[in-house]
Every structure is written in C-alpha cells, then in structure tokens.
Amino acid sequence: MSVDAERVILAAAVVPSDDFGPEGPLTELGRLVKTAGARVVGKLVQRLPRYDASSYLGSGKVEQLEVMAREREADTIVCDNDLSPAQIRNLERIIDRKVIDRSELILDIFAKHARTQQAKLQVELAQLEYTLPRLTRMWKHLSRIEGGIGFRGPGERQLEVERRLVRKKTSELRKRLKQIGKRKARQVAARSDEFTISIIGYTNAGKSTLMNRLTNAGVEAGDQLFVTLDTRTREWHLSRTEQALLSDTVGFIRRLPHHLVASFHATLEEANRADLLLHVVDISHEDPRSQVQAVKQVLREIGAADKPELTVFNKIDQPHAEAELALLRSEQPWAVAVSALNSRGIDQLHRTVLDYARNDMTDVEILTNCGNGRLFAMLAQSGRIIRQEYSDDKTRIIARVHRHSLTRIEALNDGIPAKTLA
C-alpha cells in the first residue's frame, strides 16, 4: 500500500522490553516514511506496560491521535510495530484515517526499489503473505455475492474467493522463486572455485558505495533505506594474479519482518555461501551497536552466524565520527576503518582482505592427465601454478589454491584428490 506524497503521523507504543538506544523511538520510522516519499506532520509516543490488544495504543492516546490527525490534515497513521487486523480495524474506525504498520511500510519501500524479476517476485510474495490474514479488513465493505450457486456453495463470501486466489498466487510465486533459486544455486556452484566475499550491514550503512569504490561496479547508491534489493556480484582484483568475487546484499534493519526474511532467503543466501563477510557499520549513526546487533540477528536467522567476518567501520569522514571510532576500536581492534565516499582507509581494507585470502590458501600436489584442460583452466583462474613436471602422458602440478577448491579439483581430476603439502 503506497504512502507516496501522503501526510503521515507516526505513532509508537513503547513497552519496557523495547530498547531504542540513544536514537529513541520513531527516528528510524521517520526515515522509512521519508524513503517511501511521504511527509511526517506529527508524532505520538505512549509508554505502556504492554501493547493494547484491541487498539495498540491506550484509548486516551487513540482519541488524541484522532484530534491530531484532524487538525494536521493527515492522510495516514503509521505505527512502529506489526499490528493485528483487529487493531488496524479499530484504529481506522476511531481515527477515520488509513492505518498501516511497520511491515506494510517496509513492503511499500521494497516494492518501490525492486528491479530484477527475482526481487519483484520476492516482494510480491511477501506482500501477499502479509495481506492474507488481513483480507477481512480489505473486504469489510462487501456483502455476500448474489447468486452463490456455481461458486463453492450458496452464499460464499467474496472474501473466501479472494483468500483462495491469494493462496493460489502465493503457491505459484513460491514455485517460480524456487526455480530461480535453483538457477542461482547453479550459478553459485559454478563460482565455487573463486574466493567469494559478501558485503553485509544495516540498511544505509554505505554497502553499495563501498562496492562501487572497490570494483567500479556502478551500482545505485543513495542516502535512503533499502536502495539495494538485488544481489550484484563483481570481480575485485586483490593483486595482479589474485581476485575475489564481491557481492552486495539487501540491507538489514531492526525488526525486519520474518516473512520478508523468508521471501528474500535466496538473496540472503549469498551471504550464507560466502567465504568472508564484510560487515559494514555506519559509525556516524547515533547507535551503531544496535545496528550491529540487528545484523547479527538476521545472520542467525539465515544460518550464517558462524561465517568468517571482517568488520568495516564506514563513514569516518563524517563529523564526530573519530570519537565513536575510538570507542569501537577498543571493542574490535581488528576492524578496518574507511570512508567509502573519499577512499580513506581503502588501501588498508584491500591489504587486510588480501592477507585473509592468502591465509585461506594451501599448496597442493596434483597428478593429472596432460590433456585435462578444465583442471588447468581452473587452476590458472582461481589459484596459482607454481611448477609443472611432465612424464609420459601425466603432469605433476604444484599449485597454490583456496582450501574450498580442493573438492572441485578432485571432481575435475576423475576423483583423484590433491595432496596437501606441509
């Protein structure tokens, strides 16, 4: 549901378990609304022991919200939590304005930024899964269909027809995404000989800007949330003879809706398959630690929590960043500090990743047929041939390769494993 060009009031019920850090409630929600193209005309926060089951906010605050919406000519109320269909229905009845929750707002932004077929299908699936339990609200204005015979039974509601259509559509989308997922898995398998790196981080941390700086990829980057939804992979030349495949990923966010994580699982899978994660952290943000924790939570959800990870503190060129950097360095002294915008620290990042890639390599001895062109090509592309010795129709190769390439070498050499040298 688009909130484009609408006048919006932000609302949040804050319970004791909520922890917004120094940023406070509604700050991030305001940025999301701005990214969606709307204008914030008011804010309302209520601290409660628990969320109100019927209307999210307490009855007094709901009445105050109705007055504020009328006086400020608001079109929409955006709440900073996921609301039940009943809560949305009750709020809309009292305030007489459209009410959307955090997930619906994020879905709107995702729909706005989806470019590839996969991203569009993922967004559509997430929207339908969000919509299904809320169809009652959407069809509350409809009465029974006349002439129910010929549908499933007399008097079937249009609501039931819509539910069946949504379930059918979600099933079709899952099948199409599964096919795309299989195709992507084959693409990833074809890259298994390469050292792969995935850039991860909170949305708007500067991942795409860093990608452009390292690879001249020319991907879209901007001071908005969720500019990147589609995974891009580019070659990153680490030295004259060594390179890696670098992938940019969708940004993470606090309380990322679970159905979005599920729908974008194929995209997030890039991070799960990477040899190294570059975790980009915006140190100019009011509370970078909470953003780091949000990223860690999503990594746990997709099974990538144990992946090797290098923290990259970004935006060191911003005002007051140096003070925050000093504190963060005491917690993560191995991290690299950069400005993706003006290249500060990029050389150090380059050297650190190159050292890591080289430490991932090992020397091996391979005995193979002289005519094994596929193996020779693979070694030349993703490893380094140190020397070769020929005997009859056999070739003895000493090469330096990434450890994850050993399985591929065995497959290309008729099942004969490479011998790791001490």
Side-chain angles (χ1 to χ4, degrees):
M1 186 178 296
S2 176
V3 294
D4 187 41
E6 294 177 7
R7 295 170 62 85
V8 168
I9 291 177
L10 310 181
V14 179
V15 299
S17 60
D18 288 332
D19 181 14
F20 296 96
E23 186 178 49
L26 296 183
T27 302
E28 183 172 81
L29 189 66
R31 288 199 294 267
L32 287 167
V33 166
K34 180 181 177 182
T35 299
R39 177 186 173 194
V40 176
V41 297
K43 299 180 180 181
L44 186 145
V45 176
Q46 182 181 25
R47 297 190 178 275
L48 295 168
R50 67 185 66 84
Y51 302 120
D52 189 289
S54 64
S55 57
Y56 178 56
L57 299 163
S59 57
K61 284 294 183 182
V62 174
E63 292 177 4
Q64 183 180 337
L65 192 56
E66 188 274 330
V67 173
M68 184 186 295
R70 189 162 20 91
E71 291 178 346
R72 304 188 186 185
E73 299 180 342
D75 304 297
T76 305
I77 311 298
V78 179
C79 298
D80 193 30
N81 289 88
D82 284 353
L83 304 185
S84 69
Q87 286 172 326
I88 293 177
R89 182 173 62 250
N90 292 334
L91 285 171
E92 289 183 336
R93 177 177 53 81
I94 298 170
I95 303 172
D96 195 27
R97 297 290 191 279
K98 179 174 63 178
V99 176
I100 68 174
D101 61 17
R102 182 183 177 88
S103 282
E104 193 167 1
L105 175 62
I106 293 175
L107 284 169
D108 180 87
I109 297 169
F110 271 49
K112 179 180 177 182
H113 289 162
R115 296 289 183 270
T116 65
Q117 181 193 30
Q118 183 185 17
K120 291 176 180 177
L121 291 175
Q122 288 173 141
V123 170
E124 186 178 358
L125 175 60
Q127 286 176 324
L128 289 173
E129 290 181 331
Y130 172 88
T131 298
L132 184 58
R134 292 164 173 81
L135 281 174
T136 303
R137 173 171 67 97
M138 296 176 178
W139 287 99
K140 65 183 179 182
H141 63 285
L142 293 178
S143 58
R144 294 176 182 272
I145 300 176
E146 292 183 4
I149 298 175
F151 289 87
R152 188 170 48 119
E156 182 187 38
R157 292 180 182 275
Q158 178 69 16
L159 174 61
E160 293 305 318
V161 175
E162 291 299 317
R163 281 175 174 157
R164 289 210 311 275
L165 290 174
V166 169
R167 291 190 183 103
K168 181 180 178 182
K169 183 66 174 178
T170 55
S171 177
E172 292 172 354
L173 288 172
R174 286 195 187 96
K175 289 179 181 177
R176 293 173 66 184
L177 283 170
K178 188 175 181 180
Q179 292 172 349
I180 293 175
K182 289 180 178 178
R183 187 162 65 246
K184 286 182 70 68
R186 290 194 295 270
Q187 292 171 351
V188 171
R191 305 197 302 255
S192 62
D193 304 332
E194 304 283 353
F195 185 75
T196 57
I197 304 170
S198 186
I199 302 179
I200 62 168
Y202 208 81
T203 183
N204 204 34
K207 299 182 299 300
S208 295
T209 303
L210 182 62
M211 176 93 167
N212 289 336
R213 179 65 61 187
L214 297 176
T215 67
N216 296 316
V219 299
E220 182 181 0
D223 188 19
Q224 286 188 328
L225 307 184
F226 299 119
V227 171
T228 300
L229 292 186
D230 311 300
T231 300
R232 290 92 158 201
T233 301
R234 300 289 188 273
E235 287 186 354
W236 180 13
H237 295 282
L238 300 175
S239 71
R240 286 192 305 167
T241 58
E242 296 160 284
Q243 66 182 26
L245 291 180
L246 185 65
S247 296
D248 191 10
T249 61
V250 61
F252 301 164
I253 195 170
R254 177 176 57 90
R255 300 204 310 269
L256 186 66
H258 290 289
H259 49 275
L260 271 180
V261 174
S263 297
F264 276 77
H265 195 275
T267 301
L268 296 169
E269 188 66 15
E270 289 282 345
N272 209 8
R273 294 177 180 272
D275 297 306
L276 176 66
L277 302 179
L278 290 188
H279 183 175
V280 182
V281 179
D282 175 8
I283 63 167
S284 70
H285 187 267
E286 295 93 334
D287 188 16
R289 290 171 182 79
S290 69
Q291 295 193 342
V292 168
Q293 291 308 311
V295 172
K296 299 283 190 185
Q297 176 58 36
V298 177
L299 289 177
R300 284 192 290 270
E301 290 186 31
I302 65 173
D306 296 328
K307 281 286 176 182
E309 180 182 321
L310 173 64
T311 301
V312 181
F313 294 135
N314 189 28
K315 305 189 184 181
I316 60 174
D317 56 303
Q318 295 299 305
H320 314 299
E322 291 297 333
E324 186 66 40
L325 177 59
L327 292 172
L328 290 171
R329 274 200 180 283
S330 66
E331 300 170 10
Q332 299 191 49
W334 55 87
V336 179
V338 306
S339 168
L341 195 62
N342 64 24
S343 294
R344 282 179 59 190
I346 293 298
D347 288 343
Q348 179 60 46
L349 174 61
H350 197 111
R351 289 192 295 270
T352 302
V353 172
L354 181 58
D355 287 344
Y356 183 91
R358 286 174 172 171
N359 287 335
D360 182 64
M361 302 188 82
T362 185
D363 290 347
V364 296
E365 178 185 27
I366 307 166
L367 187 64
T368 188
N369 296 321
C370 293
N372 195 342
R374 293 176 63 193
L375 178 59
F376 281 100
M378 176 262 183
L379 292 173
Q381 181 180 12
S382 59
R384 183 164 68 90
I385 297 176
I386 299 173
R387 67 175 182 271
Q388 301 178 60
E389 300 172 358
Y390 301 95
S391 174
D392 297 329
D393 61 342
K394 296 290 185 180
T395 301
R396 178 176 175 267
I397 304 170
I398 304 298
R400 183 162 295 156
V401 299
H402 289 289
R403 296 179 191 279
H404 63 264
S405 298
L406 295 176
T407 302
R408 176 71 171 161
I409 291 172
E410 183 175 340
L412 292 174
N413 198 26
D414 298 325
I416 302 172
K419 179 182 177 182
T420 302
L421 302 178

